[in-house]
Amino acid sequence: MARVVVDVMLKPEILDPQGQAVQRALPRLGFDGISDVRQGKRFELEVDGPVDEAALARIHDLAESFLANTVIEDFTIRVEEVAEAAK
Amino acid sequence: MTARIGVVTFPGSLDDRDTQRAIRVAGAEPVALWHKDKDLKQVDAVVLCGGFSYGDYLRAGAIARFSPVMEPLLEQAKAGLPVLGICNGFQILTEAHLLPGTMLRNNHLHFICRDQKLRVENAGTAWTTDYAPGQEIHIPLKNNDGQYVADAYTLDKLEAEGRVAFRYVVRGEAADGCGNPNGSQRDIAGVSNEAGNVVGLMPHPEHAVEPLIGTGRTDGLPFFTSILKKLVNA
């Protein structure tokens, strides 16, 4: 079994009101020096079988059509090593 | 025989009964459709109503877009079936790419609920012929993700083709329903597809069809009489 991580972020030119709300709270919490916050989504997909090219292509389709709205969002896909002990 | 207008209920839909009622008040026959239906029961038009389909957990409308009922709907909408998406229904239509652009969280991050003033920019769509071009109407608005966004090319194209169907009226005080309620680009409240049979808008005409409820006016009723007239005369 392997884990594939899909990160979805709003495109840089799209206003992120949630990220801005988080950023505005930072000085109140004593965190200075953070000039911008953007909030995204992380999906962890547990995949049965090998994560070969075909599997990654299918996940790419899934991310493009469903997990991300490509009108406003970009996504990245990466395979994460699952520790032996956890198997 | 009068026109039969389908209303789809998804898990999380809130306004299906109000929408059915609005259709009945206009003089047409509402037909309840379920999200798992694989056919549209030969209806003459469909309304995707407001609410929070599938909890809006991924993005507003993103999961509903892939439910079984959407397969025949997408196919027939492309062939000319009139479809109206209200609020969550509008979000579903953008996720399905039947309408361009998409909806973001309101720019102020608050759920908003108020009577909203709109201007009818296009009285030529299947759902707006009973309005006059430029007419200003008051109908309720209630949403969390109502900020309409699209890239500049798409926005320019929509404007050039007259497909901005409704705009928020921005003069005056916010208290009387004026002003852009959610940061929508170019104050857009509703758009149509190229053929004018598919229309989406954020505010809720189905809550303003009888003087006793909603805004106390019936400014939303022409949506449903427009489509009825179109279908009966067809």
Side-chain angles (χ1 to χ4, degrees):
Chain A
M1 209 165 72
R3 174 179 295 164
V4 177
V5 177
V6 180
D7 282 312
V8 176
M9 290 298 294
L10 280 172
K11 290 181 178 176
E13 68 271 23
I14 302 284
L15 177 76
D16 177 8
Q18 287 165 286
Q20 285 188 344
V22 173
Q23 194 225 326
R24 278 199 300 270
L26 294 179
R28 260 199 325 270
L29 301 172
F31 288 96
D32 296 321
I34 294 173
S35 57
D36 192 26
V37 175
R38 313 249 326 148
Q39 180 175 326
K41 297 190 190 98
R42 170 185 164 119
F43 299 88
E44 297 184 352
L45 313 178
E46 304 296 337
V47 181
D48 299 330
V51 183
D52 50 19
E53 247 174 62
L56 280 175
R58 287 182 55 224
I59 289 169
H60 188 276
D61 284 348
L62 167 71
E64 195 168 41
S65 62
F66 188 48
L67 299 181
N69 177 345
T70 53
V71 175
I72 48 167
E73 292 167 333
D74 294 323
F75 62 90
T76 59
I77 296 172
R78 66 175 192 276
V79 183
E80 199 169 74
E81 297 296 328
V82 180
E84 279 301 313
K87 278 185 183 170
Chain B
M1 212 183 83
T2 184
R4 299 170 77 243
I5 302 178
V7 178
V8 181
T9 300
F10 298 94
S13 292
L14 294 173
D15 298 323
D16 42 350
R17 299 304 290 264
D18 286 48
T19 306
Q20 290 174 21
R21 183 173 177 81
I23 289 166
R24 207 174 296 121
V25 168
E29 181 193 342
V31 176
L33 296 172
W34 182 236
H35 66 119
K36 285 185 177 168
D37 285 344
K38 291 196 173 76
D39 74 278
L40 299 180
K41 300 184 183 172
Q42 293 171 325
V43 293
D44 304 301
V46 173
V47 181
L48 298 179
C49 65
F52 295 86
S53 56
Y54 300 88
D56 279 350
Y57 288 125
L58 177 58
R59 289 179 309 277
I63 302 177
R65 176 253 173 282
F66 289 99
S67 51
V69 75
M70 290 301 288
E71 250 178 71
L73 187 139
L74 288 173
E75 194 180 301
Q76 292 179 41
K78 283 172 192 158
L81 180 79
V83 177
L84 173 66
I86 301 168
C87 199
N88 194 233
F90 186 11
Q91 294 159 340
I92 294 168
L93 291 176
T94 63
E95 283 287 340
H97 305 299
L98 272 182
L99 293 174
T102 192
M103 238 67 67
L104 286 177
R105 182 70 55 93
N106 294 342
N107 59 342
H108 44 72
L109 290 174
H110 297 291
F111 186 93
I112 189 164
C113 181
R114 73 181 195 197
D115 291 339
Q116 176 68 45
K117 202 181 233 186
L118 300 178
R119 190 169 52 248
V120 180
E121 300 280 12
N122 184 346
T125 77
W127 300 88
T128 56
T129 51
D130 272 355
Y131 290 110
Q135 186 180 344
E136 291 186 354
I137 61 174
H138 260 112
I139 60 176
L141 170 87
K142 53 187 176 92
N143 64 60
N144 204 38
D145 300 83
Q147 183 182 175
Y148 184 79
V149 298
D151 59 50
Y153 171 81
T154 304
L155 292 169
D156 288 344
K157 190 164 183 277
L158 286 174
E159 307 255 17
E161 294 173 357
R163 289 166 56 193
V164 175
F166 296 90
R167 246 186 265 268
Y168 300 113
V169 173
V170 292
R171 63 166 191 277
E173 296 299 315
D176 70 350
C178 283
N180 183 329
N182 45 35
S184 287
Q185 289 180 347
R186 303 192 191 181
D187 305 318
I188 290 173
V191 299
S192 81
N193 69 343
E194 222 162 288
N197 63 308
V198 180
V199 172
L201 82 161
M202 282 318 286
H204 291 260
E206 79 281 14
H207 294 325
V209 297
E210 291 168 297
L212 265 178
I213 57 163
T215 53
R217 303 155 62 131
T218 58
D219 289 5
L221 191 57
F223 274 90
F224 304 98
T225 56
S226 294
I227 191 64
L228 179 59
K229 211 174 282 175
K230 179 187 161 64
L231 293 171
V232 170
N233 293 338

